[in-house]
Structures are given as structure tokens and as C-alpha cells.
Amino acid sequence: MTVAIDSDKLMGLVYKAVDEVGATLNAALVVMGDRLGYYQALADHGPTTPGELAERTSTSEHYTREWLNAQAAGGFVEYDADTGRYTLPPEQTVALTDPSSPAYLPGFFQIALGTIQHTTETIEAARSGAGIGWHEHTSDVHVGCERFFRPSYNANLLTSWLPALDGVVDKLKRGATVADIGCGHGASTILMAEAFPRSSFVGSDYHEASIETARLRATEAGVGERVTFEVAAATGFSGSGYDLVTTFDALHDMGDPVGAARHVRESLAADGTWMLVEPMAGDRVEDNLNPVGFSTLLCTPASLSQPVGLALGTQAGPARIRDVTKAAGFSRFRTVAQTPFNLVFEVRP
Ligand SMILES: C[S@@+](CC[C@H](N)C(=O)[O-])C[C@H]1O[C@@H](n2cnc3c(N)ncnc32)[C@H](O)[C@@H]1O
């Protein structure tokens, strides 16, 4: 049977592909601009020629010229044809050079670029059904993750997420014990430790290199005495009687989220709270047609690399997450906050 081809639709797809290929390559250009200091130099000096940018960053003008033109094409910098100079507009300056802004973007590009470095392995894994562990990725995935999530935690954790939990902020002010599981580089653990000096915190993650970095970050932040970090899977982190357990963007990466939830349940005090932060998602496929492909390339393979390999994916949705907590013996579950990227659940015994 011959199927009629709509040539306008076909060409529309080709033009869309040009944008998408451009966006794919732009991820490398943004990481390049971040790492070589191009954005910072543009922010510091205003309208700049390729030669000036090369001199200020000790790089080759052949590269700064091409990079600036590509960035101007993508709207990341502005080009003035009269002067031949390139400018980083104020909004781009915030998004590309201010790590304290919730709109800070370089980590997003860094984790994306780090993730696609394993494309060949992911293709093989899709054939075999094997997984690729979080620890098997390049440090761009680990550092990019920290740099991507930290601005959102800075903007939301103390002002909106913790206050949305029943009675938790009062406990933290008085002095509580907290376990932050799957803590990565400890951005969330350290932020809470800085805010609540009477409380003590144990961050854990199965990835040894991440825990080493988290310890370094805690020392740099001056909270090393109240924060300890341990290498432990979520099914076996140490301690008991915790007032609060937190999990930030990590449950769906775990092979055995029900086992992890069961261990959280055992480790909590009778009136304790588990704050579970997961990616924004709905319960139906049509709610989750999200173009950001981390689920296929990073989170699903991470879960499949571990025992059980439940592979919730990044768009499990509240109903499936609630089922996981229910299977682990929790009886109370409610959504308490959300951002464009995250859902925050309060889970209690
Ligand atoms: C997307 S990262 C989030 C890290 C950190 N919570 C943050 O928000 O920056 C997921 C983390 O889950 C950790 N992880 C994956 N499986 C785990 C497991 N079974 N037990 C403990 N941590 C695990 C990974 O090592 C990684 O640090």
C-alpha cells in the first residue's frame, strides 16, 4: 500500500532537525564557553572582538571567532555588525555566569553532554537489557548534576519545600537528626546543615567518588562537624530513629526503590518524615512527553545496572511513586510542593 507523503510536513521535519542538530552541537559550545571562561570574560568586559576574547582567555582567535558566531546564531550572544563586537546580554549573563541564580544553566549542559558520551554503550545496553551505573559515567555527569540541581535547591529547599512539611522546620530548629540518601556531592545536605545549626546530618550515596567530593564541600562550607558522609546504598545506610530522611532526585535512579523505601521506613522515628523529591511528571504517558531524554540515556540504565532493576524512569509520576512507598509500609503520602522540574512528596509511616 502506498502512503501519500505530505512534502510540506516532510520539509518541516527536516527544518526541525536542523534546529535539533544545532542544539546538540550547542551543548558542546556552551560547555566550551563555560570551561574556557568565554562567558565570564564577555560578562566582565562588555562588547568584545574575537581577538580581545582570545587574548583575555589565553585561547586561539580561530576558535573564539567561530564560537562567537555560533553563539550569536543561537541567541546566546548579540553581534553588532557596525562595530564587529559581541555582547553577552544581561539575562544571558545571569543564566551563564551566576551560579547563585535559579536560572543558572551551565550544569544542565554539562550533565547533558556528559550523558551522551555514553551513547555507544547505551545502544549496546538497549540490545542486551543491561544497565550503565551512575559511577560509570564521566565526572561531567556528577559535577553537572550538582551544578544543575544546586540552584533549584538554593531557591526552594529552605523557603518552600521544608516549610511545606508538617512540623519539620520546628524540629530542625530545635535539633533533629537527618539522613540525606543518594546525596551525590551533598549540595542539599550542606544547604540544610548551614540553615539548621542544632541539627546533625548524615549524607549517603553508593558512589564513592561523589562521597569524597561531598566531604570536601562540607569542609569548605565549614559544616564538617555536623555533617558526615558515608558510602552506602540506600538499602543499607546507617543509623536509626531519624526525624527526617530526604531523597533528592535519586529514588528513580536506584535499582531497588521499594527496598530503599523499606529501609527508610525502618530508619525513621515513629513520627518521622521522608521528604521525597522526584522529577516533575504526571501519571499518564500523554502527561510525560518530555523532550529532555535523560530517562533513556541516564536514569533508566542507572537503575538497570543495580539489583532488582525496577527502572522507574524520570517520569514515574505520583501514583507509581506512592505505590513504591505503600509497598514499603508507609501509610501517608501527599504532594506538598512543585517546581517546573520537581515534585516534592511528604511520606510518613
Ligand atoms: C541524579 S543524582 C542526584 C544526586 C543528589 N541527590 C543531588 O540532588 O545532587 C542521583 C544519585 O543517586 C545515587 N544513587 C543511585 N543509586 C543509588 C543507590 N542504590 N543507593 C544510593 N545512592 C544511589 C547516585 O550515585 C547519584 O548520586
mmCIF file of all heavy atoms in Angstrom, residues 179-211:
data_model
loop_
_atom_site.group_PDB
_atom_site.id
_atom_site.type_symbol
_atom_site.label_atom_id
_atom_site.label_comp_id
_atom_site.label_asym_id
_atom_site.label_seq_id
_atom_site.Cartn_x
_atom_site.Cartn_y
_atom_site.Cartn_z
ATOM 1 N N ALA A 179 18.889 12.140 57.634
ATOM 2 C CA ALA A 179 19.660 11.333 56.672
ATOM 3 C C ALA A 179 19.273 11.768 55.268
ATOM 4 O O ALA A 179 18.088 11.813 54.942
ATOM 5 C CB ALA A 179 19.361 9.849 56.860
ATOM 6 N N ASP A 180 20.269 12.112 54.446
ATOM 7 C CA ASP A 180 20.024 12.521 53.055
ATOM 8 C C ASP A 180 20.593 11.414 52.173
ATOM 9 O O ASP A 180 21.811 11.269 52.058
ATOM 10 C CB ASP A 180 20.730 13.865 52.805
ATOM 11 C CG ASP A 180 20.412 14.453 51.430
ATOM 12 O OD1 ASP A 180 19.485 13.956 50.760
ATOM 13 O OD2 ASP A 180 21.100 15.421 51.035
ATOM 14 N N ILE A 181 19.719 10.618 51.571
ATOM 15 C CA ILE A 181 20.217 9.423 50.870
ATOM 16 C C ILE A 181 20.266 9.650 49.357
ATOM 17 O O ILE A 181 19.458 10.375 48.802
ATOM 18 C CB ILE A 181 19.403 8.155 51.234
ATOM 19 C CG1 ILE A 181 17.960 8.279 50.790
ATOM 20 C CG2 ILE A 181 19.470 7.890 52.727
ATOM 21 C CD1 ILE A 181 17.183 6.992 51.012
ATOM 22 N N GLY A 182 21.288 9.058 48.713
ATOM 23 C CA GLY A 182 21.554 9.343 47.300
ATOM 24 C C GLY A 182 21.961 10.799 47.148
ATOM 25 O O GLY A 182 21.521 11.496 46.247
ATOM 26 N N CYS A 183 22.845 11.260 48.066
ATOM 27 C CA CYS A 183 23.111 12.705 48.203
ATOM 28 C C CYS A 183 24.088 13.243 47.170
ATOM 29 O O CYS A 183 24.297 14.458 47.107
ATOM 30 C CB CYS A 183 23.629 13.009 49.609
ATOM 31 S SG CYS A 183 25.288 12.331 49.909
ATOM 32 N N GLY A 184 24.728 12.388 46.375
ATOM 33 C CA GLY A 184 25.673 12.875 45.372
ATOM 34 C C GLY A 184 26.765 13.711 46.017
ATOM 35 O O GLY A 184 27.419 13.277 46.972
ATOM 36 N N HIS A 185 26.955 14.927 45.524
ATOM 37 C CA HIS A 185 28.009 15.803 46.053
ATOM 38 C C HIS A 185 27.553 16.566 47.293
ATOM 39 O O HIS A 185 28.250 17.470 47.750
ATOM 40 C CB HIS A 185 28.477 16.769 44.965
ATOM 41 C CG HIS A 185 29.308 16.097 43.918
ATOM 42 N ND1 HIS A 185 29.925 16.776 42.887
ATOM 43 C CD2 HIS A 185 29.641 14.786 43.723
ATOM 44 C CE1 HIS A 185 30.591 15.923 42.118
ATOM 45 N NE2 HIS A 185 30.420 14.712 42.603
ATOM 46 N N GLY A 186 26.376 16.248 47.799
ATOM 47 C CA GLY A 186 25.949 16.782 49.093
ATOM 48 C C GLY A 186 25.412 18.202 49.072
ATOM 49 O O GLY A 186 25.318 18.843 50.130
ATOM 50 N N ALA A 187 25.011 18.705 47.910
ATOM 51 C CA ALA A 187 24.530 20.096 47.828
ATOM 52 C C ALA A 187 23.358 20.320 48.788
ATOM 53 O O ALA A 187 23.325 21.302 49.542
ATOM 54 C CB ALA A 187 24.120 20.433 46.400
ATOM 55 N N SER A 188 22.403 19.390 48.784
ATOM 56 C CA SER A 188 21.214 19.539 49.642
ATOM 57 C C SER A 188 21.579 19.352 51.119
ATOM 58 O O SER A 188 21.106 20.095 51.984
ATOM 59 C CB SER A 188 20.158 18.507 49.228
ATOM 60 O OG SER A 188 20.737 17.218 49.157
ATOM 61 N N THR A 189 22.443 18.383 51.414
ATOM 62 C CA THR A 189 22.823 18.095 52.803
ATOM 63 C C THR A 189 23.480 19.331 53.430
ATOM 64 O O THR A 189 23.151 19.728 54.553
ATOM 65 C CB THR A 189 23.847 16.928 52.854
ATOM 66 O OG1 THR A 189 23.699 16.085 51.724
ATOM 67 C CG2 THR A 189 23.722 16.139 54.122
ATOM 68 N N ILE A 190 24.399 19.925 52.678
ATOM 69 C CA ILE A 190 25.169 21.057 53.210
ATOM 70 C C ILE A 190 24.271 22.283 53.362
ATOM 71 O O ILE A 190 24.354 23.012 54.353
ATOM 72 C CB ILE A 190 26.393 21.324 52.299
ATOM 73 C CG1 ILE A 190 27.365 20.143 52.425
ATOM 74 C CG2 ILE A 190 27.077 22.641 52.664
ATOM 75 C CD1 ILE A 190 28.430 20.078 51.355
ATOM 76 N N LEU A 191 23.385 22.481 52.412
ATOM 77 C CA LEU A 191 22.454 23.624 52.498
ATOM 78 C C LEU A 191 21.607 23.519 53.773
ATOM 79 O O LEU A 191 21.432 24.505 54.504
ATOM 80 C CB LEU A 191 21.558 23.624 51.252
ATOM 81 C CG LEU A 191 20.616 24.785 51.065
ATOM 82 C CD1 LEU A 191 21.369 26.106 50.950
ATOM 83 C CD2 LEU A 191 19.770 24.579 49.793
ATOM 84 N N MET A 192 21.093 22.327 54.066
ATOM 85 C CA MET A 192 20.280 22.146 55.286
ATOM 86 C C MET A 192 21.144 22.324 56.530
ATOM 87 O O MET A 192 20.711 22.938 57.510
ATOM 88 C CB MET A 192 19.614 20.757 55.286
ATOM 89 C CG MET A 192 18.545 20.597 54.219
ATOM 90 S SD MET A 192 17.617 19.051 54.386
ATOM 91 C CE MET A 192 18.797 17.831 53.815
ATOM 92 N N ALA A 193 22.377 21.800 56.482
ATOM 93 C CA ALA A 193 23.263 21.903 57.657
ATOM 94 C C ALA A 193 23.586 23.369 57.958
ATOM 95 O O ALA A 193 23.659 23.770 59.123
ATOM 96 C CB ALA A 193 24.536 21.111 57.408
ATOM 97 N N GLU A 194 23.773 24.158 56.914
ATOM 98 C CA GLU A 194 24.072 25.585 57.125
ATOM 99 C C GLU A 194 22.885 26.302 57.773
ATOM 100 O O GLU A 194 23.049 27.201 58.584
ATOM 101 C CB GLU A 194 24.415 26.248 55.783
ATOM 102 C CG GLU A 194 25.787 25.855 55.272
ATOM 103 C CD GLU A 194 26.057 26.354 53.857
ATOM 104 O OE1 GLU A 194 25.093 26.475 53.052
ATOM 105 O OE2 GLU A 194 27.223 26.606 53.543
ATOM 106 N N ALA A 195 21.673 25.876 57.388
ATOM 107 C CA ALA A 195 20.468 26.578 57.865
ATOM 108 C C ALA A 195 20.059 26.155 59.266
ATOM 109 O O ALA A 195 19.400 26.931 59.976
ATOM 110 C CB ALA A 195 19.319 26.319 56.891
ATOM 111 N N PHE A 196 20.409 24.935 59.671
ATOM 112 C CA PHE A 196 19.915 24.424 60.964
ATOM 113 C C PHE A 196 21.090 23.941 61.822
ATOM 114 O O PHE A 196 21.372 22.733 61.900
ATOM 115 C CB PHE A 196 18.901 23.297 60.713
ATOM 116 C CG PHE A 196 17.706 23.759 59.918
ATOM 117 C CD1 PHE A 196 17.571 23.417 58.573
ATOM 118 C CD2 PHE A 196 16.738 24.579 60.500
ATOM 119 C CE1 PHE A 196 16.485 23.863 57.822
ATOM 120 C CE2 PHE A 196 15.656 25.035 59.752
ATOM 121 C CZ PHE A 196 15.529 24.682 58.413
ATOM 122 N N PRO A 197 21.750 24.873 62.498
ATOM 123 C CA PRO A 197 22.991 24.528 63.219
ATOM 124 C C PRO A 197 22.799 23.575 64.399
ATOM 125 O O PRO A 197 23.768 22.977 64.854
ATOM 126 C CB PRO A 197 23.517 25.893 63.694
ATOM 127 C CG PRO A 197 22.437 26.889 63.467
ATOM 128 C CD PRO A 197 21.479 26.316 62.481
ATOM 129 N N ARG A 198 21.560 23.422 64.907
ATOM 130 C CA ARG A 198 21.375 22.489 66.040
ATOM 131 C C ARG A 198 21.125 21.052 65.580
ATOM 132 O O ARG A 198 21.000 20.141 66.397
ATOM 133 C CB ARG A 198 20.190 22.932 66.883
ATOM 134 C CG ARG A 198 20.482 24.220 67.604
ATOM 135 C CD ARG A 198 19.423 24.506 68.616
ATOM 136 N NE ARG A 198 19.764 25.707 69.325
ATOM 137 C CZ ARG A 198 18.962 26.342 70.158
ATOM 138 N NH1 ARG A 198 17.769 25.869 70.388
ATOM 139 N NH2 ARG A 198 19.348 27.434 70.753
ATOM 140 N N SER A 199 20.959 20.863 64.296
ATOM 141 C CA SER A 199 20.658 19.519 63.773
ATOM 142 C C SER A 199 21.923 18.848 63.249
ATOM 143 O O SER A 199 22.916 19.515 62.940
ATOM 144 C CB SER A 199 19.620 19.622 62.650
ATOM 145 O OG SER A 199 18.394 20.051 63.181
ATOM 146 N N SER A 200 21.861 17.509 63.139
ATOM 147 C CA SER A 200 23.015 16.796 62.571
ATOM 148 C C SER A 200 22.565 15.981 61.358
ATOM 149 O O SER A 200 21.410 15.534 61.287
ATOM 150 C CB SER A 200 23.657 15.898 63.629
ATOM 151 O OG SER A 200 22.695 14.979 64.079
ATOM 152 N N PHE A 201 23.480 15.807 60.439
ATOM 153 C CA PHE A 201 23.133 15.294 59.108
ATOM 154 C C PHE A 201 24.082 14.168 58.700
ATOM 155 O O PHE A 201 25.284 14.272 58.903
ATOM 156 C CB PHE A 201 23.231 16.439 58.083
ATOM 157 C CG PHE A 201 22.285 17.562 58.375
ATOM 158 C CD1 PHE A 201 22.608 18.536 59.319
ATOM 159 C CD2 PHE A 201 21.055 17.632 57.748
ATOM 160 C CE1 PHE A 201 21.719 19.560 59.623
ATOM 161 C CE2 PHE A 201 20.158 18.652 58.044
ATOM 162 C CZ PHE A 201 20.501 19.623 58.984
ATOM 163 N N VAL A 202 23.493 13.125 58.103
ATOM 164 C CA VAL A 202 24.301 12.045 57.521
ATOM 165 C C VAL A 202 23.904 11.930 56.048
ATOM 166 O O VAL A 202 22.765 11.598 55.723
ATOM 167 C CB VAL A 202 24.013 10.683 58.204
ATOM 168 C CG1 VAL A 202 24.921 9.603 57.621
ATOM 169 C CG2 VAL A 202 24.188 10.776 59.704
ATOM 170 N N GLY A 203 24.847 12.226 55.179
ATOM 171 C CA GLY A 203 24.595 12.065 53.740
ATOM 172 C C GLY A 203 25.164 10.733 53.298
ATOM 173 O O GLY A 203 26.239 10.328 53.752
ATOM 174 N N SER A 204 24.455 10.033 52.414
ATOM 175 C CA SER A 204 24.993 8.764 51.922
ATOM 176 C C SER A 204 24.719 8.612 50.428
ATOM 177 O O SER A 204 23.745 9.160 49.905
ATOM 178 C CB SER A 204 24.378 7.578 52.686
ATOM 179 O OG SER A 204 22.979 7.560 52.517
ATOM 180 N N ASP A 205 25.611 7.876 49.799
ATOM 181 C CA ASP A 205 25.467 7.597 48.360
ATOM 182 C C ASP A 205 26.303 6.365 48.067
ATOM 183 O O ASP A 205 27.344 6.149 48.714
ATOM 184 C CB ASP A 205 25.990 8.794 47.544
ATOM 185 C CG ASP A 205 25.499 8.775 46.100
ATOM 186 O OD1 ASP A 205 25.932 7.886 45.333
ATOM 187 O OD2 ASP A 205 24.676 9.632 45.749
ATOM 188 N N TYR A 206 25.860 5.560 47.115
ATOM 189 C CA TYR A 206 26.644 4.346 46.830
ATOM 190 C C TYR A 206 27.912 4.682 46.041
ATOM 191 O O TYR A 206 28.832 3.870 45.967
ATOM 192 C CB TYR A 206 25.782 3.312 46.071
ATOM 193 C CG TYR A 206 25.862 3.410 44.563
ATOM 194 C CD1 TYR A 206 26.517 2.419 43.818
ATOM 195 C CD2 TYR A 206 25.311 4.489 43.871
ATOM 196 C CE1 TYR A 206 26.599 2.508 42.445
ATOM 197 C CE2 TYR A 206 25.395 4.578 42.491
ATOM 198 C CZ TYR A 206 26.044 3.589 41.781
ATOM 199 O OH TYR A 206 26.148 3.682 40.419
ATOM 200 N N HIS A 207 28.001 5.895 45.477
ATOM 201 C CA HIS A 207 29.113 6.261 44.593
ATOM 202 C C HIS A 207 30.239 6.905 45.413
ATOM 203 O O HIS A 207 30.115 8.034 45.888
ATOM 204 C CB HIS A 207 28.588 7.228 43.515
ATOM 205 C CG HIS A 207 29.627 7.637 42.525
ATOM 206 N ND1 HIS A 207 29.707 8.905 42.007
ATOM 207 C CD2 HIS A 207 30.631 6.915 41.955
ATOM 208 C CE1 HIS A 207 30.712 8.959 41.159
ATOM 209 N NE2 HIS A 207 31.282 7.770 41.107
ATOM 210 N N GLU A 208 31.351 6.159 45.541
ATOM 211 C CA GLU A 208 32.432 6.575 46.436
ATOM 212 C C GLU A 208 33.010 7.943 46.047
ATOM 213 O O GLU A 208 33.238 8.800 46.908
ATOM 214 C CB GLU A 208 33.525 5.503 46.399
ATOM 215 C CG GLU A 208 34.537 5.697 47.476
ATOM 216 C CD GLU A 208 35.478 4.503 47.631
ATOM 217 O OE1 GLU A 208 35.262 3.454 46.994
ATOM 218 O OE2 GLU A 208 36.435 4.656 48.406
ATOM 219 N N ALA A 209 33.230 8.161 44.751
ATOM 220 C CA ALA A 209 33.848 9.429 44.332
ATOM 221 C C ALA A 209 32.948 10.615 44.674
ATOM 222 O O ALA A 209 33.431 11.701 45.040
ATOM 223 C CB ALA A 209 34.133 9.390 42.829
ATOM 224 N N SER A 210 31.631 10.423 44.584
ATOM 225 C CA SER A 210 30.717 11.516 44.945
ATOM 226 C C SER A 210 30.823 11.826 46.434
ATOM 227 O O SER A 210 30.799 12.991 46.847
ATOM 228 C CB SER A 210 29.263 11.143 44.607
ATOM 229 O OG SER A 210 29.046 11.232 43.217
ATOM 230 N N ILE A 211 30.941 10.780 47.254
ATOM 231 C CA ILE A 211 31.035 10.989 48.713
ATOM 232 C C ILE A 211 32.342 11.707 49.064
ATOM 233 O O ILE A 211 32.356 12.597 49.923
ATOM 234 C CB ILE A 211 30.886 9.637 49.449
ATOM 235 C CG1 ILE A 211 29.418 9.178 49.368
ATOM 236 C CG2 ILE A 211 31.351 9.722 50.897
ATOM 237 C CD1 ILE A 211 28.399 10.114 50.022
#
